[in-house]
Amino acid sequence: MEITFKVYRKDPEKDGKPGRSNYTLELAEDATVLDALLKIRDESDSTLSFRGCCGRGYCGECMMRVNGSARLACTAKVPDYTKKGPEISLDPLRNVPVIKDLVFDWDAFMWNKIKEVKPWLEPESSPVNGENLASEAEMQDLRKVMSCFYCGMCDEGCTVLPVDFKFLGPAALTKAYRLAFDPRNKDSREQVKIVEKPKGIWDCVHCYEADEHCPRGIEPTKRIVALRDRAFNSGITHEAVARHHASFASSVKESGWLDEGRLAVESEGLTNVKGLMKLLPTAAKALARGKAPIPYMHSKRPDADKIKKIFEKAEQEEK
Amino acid sequence: MQEFDVLVIGGGASGLRAAISAKRAGASVGLISKVHPLRTNSAIAQGGLNAPLAKDDSPDSFAADTFLAGDELCDRDVVRAFTQEASKEVIWLERMGVPFNRDKEGRLDLRGFGSNSRNRTCYADDRTGYIVLQVLHEQFQREQIPSFEEWFVTSLVIEGGICVGAIALGLRNGKLDSFSARSIILASGGFTRFYLPSTASLGTTGDGQSLAYEAGARLMDMEMIQFHPLVFPKKQGLLITEAALNAGALIVNHKGESITDLKGMPRHKICLSIHHAMQNGGGGVSLDLRPIGKEKLRGYFPQTQELLRTVAGLDITKDLVPIRPLAHRPIGGIETNAAGETSVPGLFAVGECACNGLNGAGRLAGNTLTEAVVFGRRAGETAAKHATAGPKKSFPAAKVAEEEKQLARLFSGESSKDSLAKIHSELGHLMNEKVGLIRSGTGLQEALGQIQSLKDRYSRLRVKNPSRIYNYELTSYLELGSMLTLAEVVVLAAGARTESRGAHQRADFAERDDTNWKSHTLVSLVGGSGQLQKKPVAAG
Amino acid sequence: MKYAFYPGCVSRGGCPELYPSAVKVAEKLGIELDELKSVGCTGAGVLPQNIADPINARTFAKAEQLGLPIMTICSTCTGVMAQANYRLKEDPIYREKVNKEFLADEGLEYKGTTEVKHLLWVLFEDYGIERLQSLIQRPLKGLKVSPFYGCYLRRPPEAITPTKELNRRKSYLDELISILGAEMADISGKGKCCGFPILSANEENSLAMVAKHTGESKEKGADFMVTPCPLCHLNLDGNQSRAEAQTGKEIDLPILHLPQFVGLALGFDTNEMNLKRHIVSTTDVESKVSMMS
């Protein structure tokens, strides 16, 4: 079959401006996008830069956008992409710094962020001979998380990264989970502290895009939520978030439902004059339109006492 | 210029282990890798790590199985060291965080694998290699070792017969830089990419062996190449772990008949059985994983299930998987002793690129990962000790400039109309045909001639892409050079060994010849061509 | 059609225009609502699972007692409940634990039979689009509308779109826009996050998201944006002026709740739908609508 590839180009040694090159070539029916790229480099244009490593779907290196969707080039079968016509566009991942053509900056996108979460175990230095005893259930969960092959799909789908590239992102935070939840890690508390700093777990909007994108069902969002729950339950929390969570929990515990007025005020902090002043214009408008729930003037739901009991019981169990 | 006590070249399991142990032994360490460590071939190792941890097991039993698989070509002293240290290394891995599968008591679960006479293989699903690699990379980062990722080593630097460092090209900045070190450890992996198809990755091109060979080191047992019996035959073949056979999978011919019970056989025997079945039966052979059961397949073989689905479009709970034995990984490589030292002072080698006599003529299934960490640790410690003993040799200042000139020559002049891919393809085809599972004297002679003509054609090619930044045409060019060099060495060694033993089978010498051939082959580069020697197996 | 109605906290707190408009629209459509009054907040993804799951299990048990499926009018309520329900349904041991420890002493038990659906899903899956079409009195021709779903109405897949058929839930709002006679001003962020969850932790990013989505909608020529989630509404509407201040770009895009949007097509006027409550002025929309009937 004859297919035309429209490939993104960028040359840091020339003007560094993005462009596109078209290549038309004859391919076997079972060709993959990577096969096509290798053929282009060998027969048409040896200046085309792209990465390829294992060639069979397990190493994660050849990630790129094929017709706009991120996937591995070595498992992307060409016939799957030519149903609407014999043209395929190839681009680097969205929202990543591109170095040259399809070669993007994996360091900035992934490896450096992983370094930031202190990605290693501190083993217990006990004098025990032999292996640590461990339950298969715990090890199985770790193996699931460690089946992550750093393909970057979760980061590619993330809602926050396009708005804030400094956010650690689901891949790095999942690595943090692996270490925080390994029972053999002496430093698991430290691990949580590291990722609760700015650009970490509290910057995640838990939109579950990462879970939808992960090709291995690792569920990065759920891992981040687990880290947040752990941080919260061990008293390690970003100040503003702590205030927000504490206020939310308090109003539901006391009345069965949320007092948003109180939440807005307490999230800023009752003594935080600057923060509270910031809320005034919106609060004024809301008040004028009858939309502002007056803080603390909040009715109790029927059965509020039953909700309170649930809180008390759950809090006791946590201890 | 970068300066370290110990320079490690190659970021896979053995390289990372060596770097960690060298650092912990007090040396300053730097690591160069042409791909990021987590992209290396260690990631595809599936089956597990052997260690004599069970109560009814022992280093002696482990050693006996190793000798058997090696078809009596293993060096005893190396096997002894290995079987005695394996347990300690595997426990170390667990304590550093590898989440191995556990038994009901919470201890490391041990499973049957290949021709091990007892259950002694620790595993992490069927992703053992990848998970071990990750934990090694975690500990590597803990040691804060400078890591030069996507740097391509273009030469080793030898001064007065001693290796004093290397020169490498940074793919990202396009610059050549020199790396001075007292100990240089090659951990650069295998070379089976010169078989097409094979299970090799794009970059499994034997650059380390080629560099060592040119630096004067000897290459040992290069004719011993392990074929994997269960490979879905794509260009980059997808292998299925033999643990599947141990779990009940069957190999069937095209009529659906199960080939004689292959469970527990050494790898080369399984390969030959399949090979004969294909020749005689006149049809293909398939792997039937269905007897393992859906539950167990999902629980124990998730990687296998996923890759066969995404790459081959097969559902292993329903479909048969067409398989063929394909070239997998070398057993031979750079000659070293049990401490990882090569015959070139200052140069060490470990892992897939090295050959220390552990595996003989056939690797026991499950030994590779254990080998990587046991000898990785040893090589690192030895290299660190060496780096602090004795005076430092100076790194010749002019080397980088010389290398620049050499590199410039690859770009200058008219390139022939030939292509790298065409030469590679022809090489890959001829190796499979003439240097495959069964070799013959005439076939090997022909192969030698063909390789020579490919080398001539190669010498008339030039690199057309003038850039040095992420120039994969340049790296492919250099990699093809390594492959041509090593292909010739393999053919020479295969031609020399006039017997059949383990992974090396000769149609014209079908029997094992212990009288003449209880020896290793050695090839060294003398006056521009490969010179052969024999080294008797260590009785120790 | 009868449902155990769960209006959530915000529809009577920060977005009090939502509750009455939803009730009016349900009545017009003939959907009977039996409001669950003595149940607690879902937790909105803020309360940790060990507290939120029991509270939600209790809500499910109460609905189960009525023998009715739950209908919500908030993406966040829907999503949080769907996830909790998924956990309680998939793992009978977990469900038993929650029942025993938290529900038993009230004499309650969740047996795992409750369904949770947003009004948007009810329209497509239970009510029927043809039936809805037959009740349209004011086709919203000439209006350009951007959809904004709210993350929790679209993900995670196992709780929200567990089958191929239910994958269609990701396009219901798109489809509804044309069913009601309007034209869609499609935006790339329609399924993304509005930024509300990180308002405390990272206000800058939160407002940047508001600016991004509403800005894109405005560029595509939308008259307003419609959302099934009042939390999204709080950020997209309530904080729009702060987002404008941060980026220095004017937006001025009205945001409507889903029931208000449906209600206008059913013939209600803008006062009945409480459009005057919004922070970003809806006068343009009001005048366009009044010119239609």
Side-chain angles (χ1 to χ4, degrees):
Chain A
M1 47 182 187
E2 200 183 71
I3 312 288
T4 300
F5 287 86
K6 302 179 150 173
V7 188
Y8 178 97
R9 303 301 300 276
K10 180 180 160 167
D11 190 343
E13 290 173 294
K14 292 212 179 91
D15 57 15
K17 287 208 190 82
R20 207 160 280 276
S21 292
N22 293 353
Y23 309 98
T24 303
L25 58 158
E26 195 58 48
L27 290 168
E29 287 303 312
D30 63 349
T32 63
V33 168
L34 184 64
D35 291 336
L37 285 168
L38 288 166
K39 194 168 186 193
I40 292 169
R41 189 170 74 204
D42 190 65
E43 292 173 14
S44 324
D45 183 357
S46 66
T47 68
L48 181 61
S49 294
F50 57 89
R51 290 192 178 100
C53 192
C54 76
R56 48 220 145 114
Y58 71 80
C59 80
E61 183 85 305
C62 61
M63 195 50 87
M64 61 182 69
R65 277 186 294 145
V66 181
N67 283 354
S69 305
R71 64 158 307 149
L72 295 173
C74 68
T75 57
K77 299 185 179 66
V78 170
D80 289 348
Y81 289 89
T82 50
K83 300 211 160 82
K84 291 197 181 143
E87 281 181 357
I88 297 182
S89 63
L90 298 177
D91 292 83
L93 291 188
R94 222 188 308 259
N95 308 315
V96 292
V98 179
I99 304 172
K100 183 174 180 177
D101 301 338
L102 297 170
V103 173
F104 59 86
D105 193 343
W106 270 112
D107 286 318
F109 181 55
M110 176 86 68
W111 308 129
N112 290 347
K113 291 189 182 182
I114 289 173
K115 285 194 184 125
E116 281 183 61
V117 309
K118 191 176 164 271
W120 56 80
L121 202 94
E122 285 293 341
E124 297 275 1
S125 48
S126 59
V128 170
N129 275 327
E131 70 268 47
N132 292 299
L133 292 180
S135 77
E136 175 56 13
E138 281 172 318
M139 296 296 106
Q140 194 176 57
D141 186 50
L142 288 178
R143 287 197 303 272
K144 181 74 186 184
V145 179
M146 289 174 81
S147 68
C148 169
F149 63 123
Y150 305 101
C151 67
M153 290 282 285
C154 57
D155 285 358
E156 159 79 356
C158 177
T159 304
V160 179
L161 281 169
V163 163
D164 184 358
F165 191 70
K166 288 208 166 63
F167 173 49
L168 281 177
L173 290 173
T174 302
K175 184 71 174 182
Y177 172 96
R178 169 264 178 291
L179 293 157
F181 283 76
D182 192 322
R184 305 160 294 177
N185 186 5
K186 199 167 63 170
D187 254 11
S188 51
R189 194 183 157 83
E190 188 60 38
Q191 205 65 51
V192 179
K193 274 199 194 148
I194 288 171
V195 294
E196 79 95 24
K197 295 206 182 86
K199 307 300 175 188
I201 51 179
W202 302 115
D203 276 50
C204 166
V205 292
H206 43 86
C207 64
Y208 292 91
E209 285 278 14
D211 288 12
E212 203 173 55
H213 279 74
C214 176
R216 289 209 167 151
I218 291 166
E219 301 181 321
T221 314
K222 294 199 182 71
R223 311 297 176 168
I224 296 172
V225 169
L227 280 167
R228 290 159 62 111
D229 284 358
R230 177 168 282 196
F232 202 65
N233 287 327
S234 15
I236 303 165
T237 309
H238 181 295
E239 252 185 75
V241 172
R243 286 195 297 266
H244 180 89
H245 276 59
S247 176
F248 195 112
S250 296
S251 59
V252 179
K253 186 175 181 182
E254 285 163 26
S255 68
W257 63 309
L258 180 63
D259 176 353
E260 295 127 289
R262 175 180 172 182
L263 183 65
V265 160
E266 285 181 359
S267 295
E268 291 297 332
L270 291 169
T271 54
N272 180 3
V273 180
K274 193 163 160 207
L276 292 172
M277 295 285 277
K278 213 173 36 185
L279 294 176
L280 279 182
T282 313
K285 264 193 226 156
L287 209 65
R289 286 155 224 233
K291 215 168 124 62
I294 312 293
Y296 308 98
M297 307 270 285
H298 178 80
S299 56
K300 266 192 180 167
R301 274 288 169 76
D303 276 2
D305 56 321
K306 308 272 186 345
I307 304 295
K308 186 169 188 175
K309 261 214 187 113
I310 292 180
F311 266 86
E312 286 167 346
K313 216 167 198 178
E315 280 159 5
Q316 233 200 8
E317 264 184 32
E318 264 302 302
K319 295 201 175 87
Chain B
M1 180 167 93
Q2 308 287 341
E3 276 189 68
F4 302 101
D5 290 332
V6 177
L7 177 71
V8 179
I9 299 174
S14 59
L16 294 175
R17 185 69 188 93
I20 293 165
S21 79
K23 182 84 198 286
R24 290 188 185 173
S28 69
V29 183
L31 184 134
I32 302 179
S33 188
K34 74 181 181 187
V35 293
H36 188 279
L38 293 175
R39 309 294 191 212
T40 60
N41 283 342
S42 304
I44 196 55
Q46 297 180 1
L49 281 97
N50 289 344
L53 290 164
K55 278 200 200 79
D56 67 344
D57 202 353
S58 67
D60 282 345
S61 165
F62 189 16
D65 289 345
T66 302
F67 284 123
L68 204 61
D71 216 352
E72 307 300 327
L73 199 70
C74 310
D75 290 331
R76 294 204 169 245
D77 59 329
V78 183
V79 175
R80 185 170 47 246
F82 173 72
T83 53
Q84 284 174 351
E85 289 170 26
S87 293
K88 193 173 75 168
E89 268 308 302
V90 172
I91 299 293
W92 180 83
L93 281 173
E94 189 280 325
R95 296 177 72 78
M96 292 303 116
V98 175
F100 287 113
N101 283 56
R102 303 292 177 145
D103 63 19
K104 287 194 192 69
E105 277 90 57
R107 306 213 87 98
L108 294 177
D109 195 26
L110 301 165
R111 69 171 165 194
F113 193 33
S115 58
N116 280 285
S117 63
R118 283 171 178 60
N119 287 5
R120 62 165 69 98
T121 310
C122 303
Y123 60 102
D125 296 332
D126 59 347
R127 302 193 214 268
T128 316
Y130 182 58
I131 289 180
V132 167
L133 177 65
Q134 269 189 79
V135 171
L136 287 172
H137 188 239
E138 287 172 1
Q139 293 299 311
F140 172 77
Q141 288 174 105
R142 180 167 172 230
E143 296 297 330
Q144 310 280 346
I145 296 168
S147 188
F148 298 84
E149 288 144 18
E150 294 192 321
W151 280 73
F152 193 101
V153 173
T154 53
S155 57
L156 293 174
V157 179
I158 312 290
E159 265 299 280
I162 299 178
C163 188
V164 296
I167 298 181
L169 173 71
L171 294 185
R172 188 164 174 157
N173 58 16
K175 301 215 163 17
L176 275 180
D177 203 355
S178 50
F179 292 76
S180 155
R182 305 242 223 130
S183 300
I184 294 91
I185 306 178
L186 285 165
S188 51
F191 55 63
T192 44
R193 182 72 178 156
F194 62 52
Y195 285 90
L196 287 173
S198 67
T199 69
S201 296
L202 299 184
T204 313
T205 50
D207 308 324
Q209 293 88 322
S210 180
L211 289 169
Y213 185 62
E214 275 157 23
R218 295 189 289 262
L219 300 180
M220 185 162 108
D221 292 341
M222 289 291 279
E223 71 280 12
M224 299 299 177
I225 291 171
Q226 190 158 58
F227 278 63
H228 196 286
L230 316 172
V231 190
F232 176 75
K234 236 182 119 270
K235 238 188 306 185
Q236 284 87 242
L238 202 50
L239 69 80
I240 299 140
T241 175
E242 270 163 279
L245 291 175
N246 296 81
L250 298 168
I251 301 179
V252 297
N253 63 17
H254 67 115
K255 290 190 213 123
E257 300 156 347
S258 154
I259 298 181
T260 39
D261 189 18
L262 298 167
K263 189 169 91 162
M265 269 204 200
R267 241 170 222 183
H268 64 266
K269 289 218 170 97
I270 305 181
C271 287
L272 288 169
S273 291
I274 297 176
H275 177 81
H276 289 308
M278 286 171 77
Q279 302 280 65
N280 303 334
V285 162
S286 300
L287 184 65
D288 189 354
L289 290 143
R290 298 172 304 186
I292 297 178
K294 275 194 187 154
E295 224 16 84
K296 272 215 174 121
L297 281 173
R298 204 190 9 239
Y300 290 93
F301 299 95
Q303 169 103 319
T304 307
Q305 196 161 25
E306 179 196 305
L307 292 181
L308 281 169
R309 189 187 66 235
T310 53
V311 173
L314 294 170
D315 177 356
I316 59 175
T317 61
K318 299 201 186 89
D319 305 320
L320 295 180
V321 184
I323 53 160
R324 241 182 80 188
L326 285 185
H328 183 42
R329 33 164 54 138
I331 293 164
I334 306 166
E335 181 206 15
T336 72
N337 59 17
E341 293 165 317
T342 70
S343 57
V344 175
L347 186 64
F348 300 74
V350 71
E352 202 96 312
C353 72
C355 184
N356 58 15
L358 170 71
N359 299 306
R363 200 188 260 111
L364 177 65
N367 267 3
T368 323
L369 282 172
T370 311
E371 182 185 344
V373 290
V374 168
F375 293 106
R377 195 202 82 244
R378 283 175 147 244
E381 283 169 3
T382 319
K385 221 191 285 179
H386 177 267
T388 47
K392 183 171 185 267
K393 266 266 176 176
S394 63
F395 192 98
K399 273 297 174 185
V400 177
E402 274 174 45
E403 191 77 341
E404 288 280 4
K405 279 208 199 95
Q406 295 273 52
L407 213 55
R409 282 219 307 226
L410 301 178
F411 293 87
S412 65
E414 188 72 27
S415 179
S416 72
K417 291 274 187 291
D418 215 332
S419 103
L420 287 170
K422 242 194 249 136
I423 296 175
H424 184 195
S425 174
E426 289 178 39
L427 176 64
H429 186 78
L430 89 89
M431 291 303 285
N432 257 325
E433 221 189 322
K434 305 204 162 100
V435 200
L437 274 174
I438 304 180
R439 296 101 182 242
S440 76
T442 34
L444 292 169
Q445 265 308 113
E446 284 166 21
L448 209 54
Q450 285 174 278
I451 291 171
Q452 194 51 57
S453 86
L454 288 175
K455 279 174 123 176
D456 286 340
R457 283 168 58 187
Y458 172 76
S459 67
R460 278 178 263 131
L461 276 175
R462 291 290 178 273
V463 177
K464 299 183 285 290
N465 176 0
S467 170
R468 294 244 293 248
I469 294 180
Y470 285 107
N471 183 345
Y472 287 112
E473 186 201 8
L474 172 61
T475 56
S476 301
Y477 180 92
L478 296 170
E479 288 170 344
L480 183 56
S482 304
M483 287 194 276
L484 287 164
T485 302
L486 295 177
E488 194 175 80
V489 171
V490 170
V491 171
L492 284 175
R497 186 179 289 276
T498 48
E499 63 151 2
S500 285
R501 182 187 297 265
H504 174 73
Q505 298 287 313
R506 293 273 302 248
D508 45 354
F509 293 95
E511 300 300 321
R512 197 174 87 183
D513 181 1
D514 282 344
T515 322
N516 293 306
W517 275 106
K518 217 158 177 195
S519 300
H520 303 289
T521 59
L522 289 168
V523 183
S524 33
L525 189 61
V526 178
S529 59
Q531 198 178 79
L532 282 152
Q533 286 169 270
K534 270 160 91 166
K535 183 172 88 168
V537 167
Chain C
M1 307 223 84
K2 199 170 177 194
Y3 291 86
F5 182 40
Y6 184 94
C9 308
V10 181
S11 70
R12 272 172 306 185
C15 286
E17 65 276 6
L18 173 55
Y19 180 88
S21 51
V23 166
K24 282 189 186 123
V25 164
E27 195 180 33
K28 190 90 183 262
L29 292 172
I31 297 175
E32 250 189 281
L33 301 177
D34 189 345
E35 190 175 325
L36 293 165
K37 292 210 160 90
S38 46
V39 291
C41 165
T42 64
V46 174
L47 289 181
Q49 252 171 53
N50 62 319
I51 297 177
D53 275 6
I55 296 178
N56 287 312
R58 186 176 177 278
T59 308
F60 301 152
K62 291 238 163 192
E64 212 172 40
Q65 275 180 337
L66 295 173
L68 296 172
I70 295 177
M71 187 185 96
T72 57
I73 48 174
C74 168
S75 300
T76 305
C77 291
T78 315
V80 173
M81 282 185 160
Q83 285 181 52
N85 208 11
Y86 174 79
R87 283 189 288 275
L88 292 163
K89 280 183 171 178
E90 279 297 297
D91 190 350
I93 297 173
Y94 179 57
R95 188 171 72 244
E96 201 190 308
K97 175 173 178 277
V98 171
N99 275 328
K100 198 163 137 208
E101 287 177 25
F102 295 96
L103 270 55
D105 56 3
E106 252 191 280
L108 286 172
E109 187 197 345
Y110 178 45
K111 297 193 181 73
T113 66
T114 300
E115 284 298 320
V116 178
K117 285 195 184 188
H118 190 287
L119 169 63
L120 179 63
W121 299 353
V122 165
L123 291 174
F124 278 83
E125 291 166 16
D126 301 344
Y127 191 80
I129 285 310
E130 295 84 38
R131 200 167 152 197
L132 173 66
Q133 272 170 322
S134 69
L135 295 174
I136 294 175
Q137 287 186 8
R138 182 199 284 122
L140 301 172
K141 256 196 284 259
L143 283 178
K144 255 186 138 177
V145 183
S146 286
F148 196 88
Y149 288 77
C151 312
Y152 277 41
L153 204 59
R154 290 171 71 94
R155 292 175 296 271
E158 72 278 359
I160 305 290
T161 52
T163 64
K164 222 174 180 172
E165 210 192 310
L166 288 178
N167 219 26
R168 213 178 133 213
R169 284 179 172 170
K170 288 187 169 166
S171 55
Y172 283 167
L173 193 54
D174 295 28
E175 289 179 57
L176 185 68
I177 291 173
S178 23
I179 287 165
L180 298 182
E183 196 193 321
M184 180 168 71
D186 203 0
I187 54 167
S188 63
K190 66 185 170 195
K192 297 279 180 189
C193 182
C194 64
F196 186 82
I198 49 168
L199 206 44
S200 305
N202 195 327
E203 188 183 279
E204 197 186 323
N205 285 358
S206 182
L207 296 177
M209 288 178 188
V210 171
K212 187 164 188 249
H213 303 312
T214 53
E216 192 186 344
S217 177
K218 196 69 195 233
E219 268 170 44
K220 295 269 169 80
D223 292 298
F224 59 87
M225 193 181 256
V226 63
T227 179
C229 182
L231 273 69
C232 294
H233 192 277
L234 281 178
N235 219 28
L236 296 168
D237 173 65
N239 280 326
Q240 201 179 112
S241 55
R242 287 167 77 192
E244 282 173 327
Q246 185 171 281
T247 56
K249 240 171 110 170
E250 204 207 21
I251 303 167
D252 193 26
L253 180 76
I255 316 287
L256 261 62
H257 296 279
L258 175 79
Q260 292 172 324
F261 183 46
V262 175
L264 292 175
L266 290 178
F268 287 105
D269 67 47
T270 55
N271 274 330
E272 287 171 300
M273 292 287 98
N274 306 96
L275 253 58
K276 289 219 190 297
R277 296 264 200 180
H278 295 196
I279 304 290
V280 176
S281 168
T282 54
T283 41
D284 283 347
V285 180
E286 290 166 41
S287 39
K288 281 197 175 143
V289 167
S290 63
M291 285 200 288
M292 277 178 191
S293 41

